[in-house]
Structure formats: C-alpha cells, structure tokens
C-alpha cells in the first residue's frame, strides 16, 4: 500500500497543525464547552524531502527545543490578517 503525500497548508512556509478542545457535556439540554488550544509549527520550512522530521512532523517530541514552536490563536489570527487578508 502506497500513500500519496499531499501538499500541506503552510504558515510562513512551515507545516502546522491546530489543537483545540471541545466537550459535549449534555445533549438535552445541549451544552458544549470550547477552548482555544494552540498552533504547533514545524521548526524547519517545508520541503518535498520527507527525511527531516523537523520539517514534516509538528509534535513536541520531533520539535524538541525548537524556537517558536507554539503559537496561540491570537498570534495565528494576527498573522492571517496581516499576511493573508483574513478579517480581523
């Protein structure tokens, strides 16, 4: 079985992922709690060479000691607004 590697969405040329938290506490009455989590950004810019985990894997272990690894959602929103014309 061969998997195809798709081109990821990038943040300043780096792979990233979002971690958020949602708890459905009750369905009747409907009660949901949401909490912004964080953004994890790869230390090295993305390239098609999959041999370097610091460019492809965003978890804390692979990014051990990487500077600027975690962003909060406020920083992501500001970046998207300033660089990608997202509404503020």
């Amino acid at each position: 079985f061969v998997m195809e590697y798709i081109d990821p969405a990038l943040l300043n040329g780096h792979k990233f992922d979002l971690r958020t938290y949602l708890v459905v506490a009750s369905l009747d009455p409907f009660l949901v709690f949401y909490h912004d989590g964080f953004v994890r950004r790869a230390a090295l810019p993305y390239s098609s060479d999959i041999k370097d985990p610091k460019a492809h894997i965003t978890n804390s272990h692979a990014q051990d000691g990487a500077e600027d690894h975690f962003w909060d959602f406020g920083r992501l929103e500001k970046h998207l607004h300033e660089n990608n014309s997202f509404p503020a």
Side-chain angles (χ1 to χ4, degrees):
F1 181 78
V2 176
M3 293 178 61
E4 182 179 342
Y5 198 78
I6 61 171
D7 289 333
L10 301 176
L11 182 62
N12 282 354
H14 297 252
K15 282 183 70 176
F16 70 99
D17 66 31
L18 307 174
R19 179 69 54 103
T20 61
Y21 302 93
L22 180 75
V23 174
V24 179
S26 175
L27 296 176
D28 189 19
F30 191 62
L31 182 60
V32 176
F33 296 95
Y34 170 81
H35 184 272
D36 285 346
F38 50 87
V39 178
R40 298 184 303 187
R41 185 177 155 276
L44 299 177
Y46 173 78
S47 75
S48 58
D49 179 7
I50 62 170
K51 294 178 184 165
D52 191 348
K54 287 200 176 210
H56 290 270
I57 300 173
T58 59
N59 71 39
S60 298
H61 180 73
Q63 302 298 322
D64 188 31
E67 191 173 314
D68 208 25
H69 175 59
F70 288 102
W71 287 21
D72 63 24
F73 274 46
R75 183 173 177 187
L76 175 64
E77 181 181 14
K78 181 179 179 188
H79 173 81
L80 292 174
H81 174 68
E82 292 174 353
N83 299 288
N84 300 91
S85 302
F86 275 56

